[in-house]
Amino acid sequence: MSNQSSSSTSVKQFLTEEQIEIERQRRQADWERVRSAADPVEAPAEVFDSRSLYEKLKEQHDSKKKEFEDMWSAKNSIRGLDEDESDFLTRLDRAKLEKQRALKRLEQEDIEELKISFFFI
């Protein structure tokens, strides 16, 4: 049994006028099912793109390339911190730590004072 006759690749053939008319009638019947009152009675003709295959593929390639470049430009736009920004954030962290230590020291002093005051009562 030869598998070549049922191959998935097929040769594109020219359509006869009869085949074109059958296809137009099928499109018109499909159009009648989905047509609303505001739509025209006649099914709109299929849009024919007269560009060459190269031009169509080139357009697809260019649009995908632009999309890819846009994705990477967004990722590359995120930059790291420079030295001044890093120093500033380090100073903020140190100040925050000092404030926390001072607060903890005050709390410890208050606790010690309360212990002493309860001890003498």
Side-chain angles (χ1 to χ4, degrees):
M1 188 162 116
S2 174
N3 203 12
Q4 288 180 337
S5 64
S6 64
S7 172
S8 63
T9 58
S10 64
V11 177
K12 191 161 188 154
Q13 299 176 353
F14 290 102
L15 298 175
T16 64
E17 288 292 325
E18 182 180 324
Q19 291 169 324
I20 293 172
E21 182 60 27
I22 291 170
E23 179 62 23
R24 189 194 65 72
Q25 289 173 358
R26 185 194 60 76
R27 271 197 338 268
Q28 183 64 35
D30 290 344
W31 176 252
E32 291 296 327
R33 275 188 299 234
V34 296
R35 181 176 81 83
S36 67
D39 292 330
V41 174
E42 193 72 25
E46 287 186 22
V47 178
F48 178 72
D49 192 354
S50 62
R51 297 178 299 163
S52 69
L53 178 60
Y54 172 79
E55 291 169 332
K56 294 174 189 176
L57 293 175
K58 177 89 170 105
E59 180 186 3
Q60 284 181 350
H61 177 323
D62 291 345
S63 68
K64 288 186 185 232
K65 183 178 178 182
K66 183 177 179 346
E67 182 180 316
F68 181 78
E69 288 171 352
D70 290 346
M71 178 185 68
W72 277 105
S73 68
K75 286 184 179 179
N76 289 336
S77 68
I78 301 170
R79 62 173 181 79
L81 299 175
D82 64 16
E83 190 174 339
D84 291 338
E85 293 168 328
S86 178
D87 291 343
F88 174 73
L89 292 174
T90 302
R91 286 193 308 269
L92 281 179
D93 284 342
R94 286 182 186 153
K96 185 177 177 182
L97 282 172
E98 287 299 320
K99 190 174 183 180
Q100 288 174 347
R101 287 179 187 150
L103 184 59
K104 188 165 185 139
R105 191 175 32 229
L106 287 174
E107 288 175 353
Q108 287 295 338
E109 290 173 3
D110 288 346
I111 290 172
E112 290 299 321
E113 287 179 16
L114 283 173
K115 284 181 182 178
I116 293 172
S117 67
F118 281 127
F119 185 69
F120 289 116
I121 295 180

